Structure formats: structure tokens, C-alpha cells
Amino acid sequence: MSIFRKKILYQRQLKMLGEHKYYAEDSSLLDPSLQPYWNYVVKLLPLWMAPNLITLAGLVMNIVTTLFIMWYSPDCLSEVPSWSHLFCAFGLFIYQTLDAIDGKQARRTETSSPLGELFDHGCDSLSSIFVVMSVCIALKLGEYPRFMFFFYFCGITAFYCSHWQTYVSGTFRFGKVDVTEAQVTIIVAHVVTALFGDRVWHTKLFDLIELRIIVCVAGILGCSVMMYNVFVIILSGGSGKNGSTVAGTSVLSPGIPLLSVVVSGYVISQKSVTNVYESHPVLFILTFGVIAAKVTNKLVVAHMTKSEMELFDSSMLGAIALFLNQYFNCVLPEYALLWMALLWALYDLLYYCCRVCIEICQYLRIRLFSISPASSTKTQSVIQNNGQSKAKLQSNAVANAAWLLWAIFVASHHQMYSLVIEARKEVIRRSLSDDQCQVDLKSTLMDQQSHGVEYSTIFPAICDWLAITKSSALRDWPESAVLLPKQKKRCYFPLLT
């Protein structure tokens, strides 16, 4: 098991990860409509903000807002305050936005890496646990425990299968109705619950079937269609040798870890003598959801490193302990053991993710939550190309601008034009290794006028500056125009920052 190894990833896996290329096909119905909004939001972010930090912020927001309704309704039956549903909807909306723009930020700052893709999918696997759980609480599915179990693991299985087909085909595919559409639907469900109360889902259409059942069945049908398309791709053969996966393994092998999670969870829930699942559905489902997230993360790593996926995972030790405890007539209290299984699964997941991220960062020589100096240099070039360098470069070249302002100030007060020439030489000496940009000195000249200095006094110094500079090696520098009202003409001269 990987948890007992000093290194999670072997050298060959790291090498394959470094060569990994992301391929995706997107046919989502809502994504094109949301792209303008996402493009606008990403421009509001500072360029020093790392993409992975954006992803993590969205995940934390989603988890925290969902924990509120889980706290109020641990049995999926209790009443939940309306504000907590609105808070949960807001958290999911923020998560969706940040999850959509982290890749844009990576391309914007030229910091795209395989680690970013892995980190994004890892956060998605953890988020899916809480998103589906929030729906179960909003619809009060605790009244139908077996149906809730089936509904919950349909969502988890659909997410796992999307990465399963990626492991087989090498291309991540988004359907017409996929994660974005599901998230928007869940946001609407929380808003409706907050406005009209959870009793609205108990409304029977035509006095036959409750509205919440219709919503759940629609979700299950959507997952079924998606999984059908996935298995068509899987069974048609993979991109590896002889129709195998990208790692050269059987296309059906990733199904074993998934079945071990779902089947063990179902058996334990049905064989419990204390009805631990019916009494604590949120805790029970969360435990097996975390185990499923760990297995999904290992599948993503296997795909990106083109390596064989381990069929048994250490996070299953908690489930095995629950099963053995039932086999020996519950030697330990099931509720306490369930908590221990959850804590072990969380520890195992976090340990695995942290170790993988650290090893990848060390191999690729990048940082997880900040932009490395090398990347910062690239970012600065991106800023210049986008015409955004002015403010940034001004702050980094105060000394050069100060020399120029000082020269004009001296010339305007004392007519000491020779000092202008000397100042110019000093500016040139100081600025040879600096970036170049334009600084508009119009406000400075206006300030001089407010102190009683006429433009006509400054004009000769500027003309001298112009004549000297035009004959220098700096003639190709960018120029800025300053209007001199007294002479009714526009004088151009090079400016430094």
C-alpha cells in the first residue's frame, strides 16, 4: 500500500507525469453562456495569485457552506434554516466560478502544469461528496434511506466513471449535460428550498408522486445516460496497446476499486444490527464518500502517470474494520467505529494528496500555492504584451523617474541646463538594465505651475533634453507628449521609469 512507502510516486511515474498533456472535449450546453462571465472574473484576480490557490479557496468555501446544513440535519430529516440553504447555494456558486477560472489564471500567468490538472481533479473529487450530500439534505431523502444511498452513489459513480473513460481513452470528455448543468441545478434547488421551505419538495404532482422523487429520478437518468456513453467508449477499446488503457492495463480494471467501495458500503448498511446507516446517514455516507474520493484520486494519478492502478486501497481498512466488527457481533460500538473509519479515511486521503503534491513540486521545481520566480518573469512579459506594464514598471523604477523629475525641477528654478545633461547621463547609467515604459509627466508639470513656475521656464530645458536624447542611443525609446500651453506646441521627449 502506498501509505507505507517512503515515496508515493516512482521515478518513472514522475517522468511520465512531466510529459503529460491535457486533452479534453467539451460539448456542455451552459459553458459557452458562462464563458464571458468567467473571462471577466479572471481579469479581476491579481497576477501573483497561483491557480491552485484559487482552486483551494473554492473548495474550502464549498465545504464550509455545506457543513452548516450537515450540522443542522445529520439525519437528512431535520429542519434546516433558510439562510443556510442560501449560504450553501452561494458557496457552490463561488466554487463553480473559481473552479472554472483556475485554468484561465494558469494560462494567463503561464504557469500551467500537470500538477494544476491533478490538483483540480482532486478538489473536484472531494467537492462532489459534499455537493451530492447537500442535495440529499435539501430534499430530505432521509425518509427513504435506501433510495438516498442509491441516489448518492449514482452521483459519485458518475464522477468516477468520467475519469475511468479518461484513463482508457486519454481524453477527458464533457457531455451536453454535465457537471456545470448539475451544479446550476443544485444551486437552483437550494434557492427554491430557502424561499419556499423544504416542504415544497413534498408536493405531489397529480396526487401521484412527490416532486423530490421526480428530481432525483431525473438526476439518476442523467447519470445513467452519461455512464452509458462512458461505457460505450470503454468497451470500444482504449488508446493503449491492443485496445488497453493508457497504462497498457485492462479497460475494466478500474471498476474493481469502485465496486469494492459501493458494495462494501451497501452490505455494511444493510447488515448493521444497530441501524447505524439509518441513524447516522450523513456520517455513514460521508465516510464512504471520502473513500471513493481517495480511489478517484488514485485513478487520476494513474491516468496522468500512465501507470497501473492499485486494486486495493489503504482507505478501505476502515470499511474492513466495520465489516469484521459486524461479523463478530459488534464487539465495538458501530457508531464509534464509524467515526474512526471516517477519521482514518480523511487522514489517508490528505496524506496521499499532500505527499503526491510535494513529490510533484520537487520534481517539476514549482510551487503549489505561489508562483515561482521563474514563472514571475514570464508573468511580467505577459503583462507587457497585454499593455498592463505601466503601473507595475513604474513602481519598480522609481529611481529613474526621480532623476528625471529632479533634473526638470532644477532647470525650471535655476536655468542650470548643464545639470539636466548630467542628470540625463546618470539616468542612462542607472536604467540600462531596467525595463522601459512611458511615464506621463503632465501632472508633474501642472504641479510645478501651481507653485508659480511657468511652462516657459521649463521649456528650454525640455528642448535641450530633446536635442541631446535624439542624438543618443536612446532615440528608439518610447516617447510621451506633454503639451506646453505657453508655446502652443507639443514637445516630445523620452521618459524613463
Side-chain angles (χ1 to χ4, degrees), residues 86 187-198 200-201 211:
L86 286 176
I187 291 172
V188 172
H190 281 295
V191 173
V192 170
T193 305
L195 295 178
F196 303 102
D198 50 31
V200 69
W201 303 111
L211 183 59

